Amino acid sequence: MLLIHCPWCGPREELEFRCGGESHISRPGPSETISDADWGAYLFTRKNPKAVHYERWVHAFGCRRWFNVARHTATHQIEAIYMMHEPAPSAFDGTDAL
């Protein structure tokens, strides 16, 4: 089980959290200029690396606040936890493979 460090509540077990998917995705717009293919890619296409992946997490059974996590998808090791308004840590580019 993962031990996730909530920025507000401190370390808690993974069961208290929910993953909200990939982070740092910008909604395309304005809507009248977006093709169906581009809109479909925005809705359904996500990265799935065997490397560090940037995800949104919410402390669902705690403070209910959102934050970002840089987590390695093969080892589940959490590399960084940072606020929603902060950019992704530059130390991880998501391309390192095991």
Side-chain angles (χ1 to χ4, degrees):
M1 178 173 301
L2 289 175
L3 185 65
I4 300 174
H5 184 91
C6 174
W8 295 274
C9 303
R12 301 287 195 268
E13 292 183 357
E14 175 186 6
L15 297 173
E16 292 188 20
F17 299 88
R18 295 294 177 260
C19 183
E22 186 177 346
S23 60
H24 307 291
I25 298 172
S26 298
R27 183 179 179 145
S31 59
E32 56 274 353
T33 63
I34 303 301
S35 69
D36 289 343
D38 289 341
W39 185 249
Y42 164 71
L43 291 176
F44 302 112
T45 304
R46 297 291 181 258
K47 296 175 185 172
N48 189 19
K50 187 176 181 182
V52 175
H53 190 242
Y54 301 100
E55 304 167 330
R56 298 174 300 171
W57 284 74
V58 63
H59 194 176
F61 296 103
C63 63
R64 297 183 180 218
R65 292 186 177 182
W66 287 88
F67 55 93
N68 288 318
V69 174
R71 181 182 63 85
H72 198 288
T73 59
T75 64
H76 298 292
Q77 180 176 341
I78 295 176
E79 303 291 344
I81 294 176
Y82 56 101
M83 302 298 185
M84 293 296 288
H85 64 275
E86 295 176 342
S90 60
F92 315 107
D93 62 5
T95 61
D96 61 326
L98 290 177

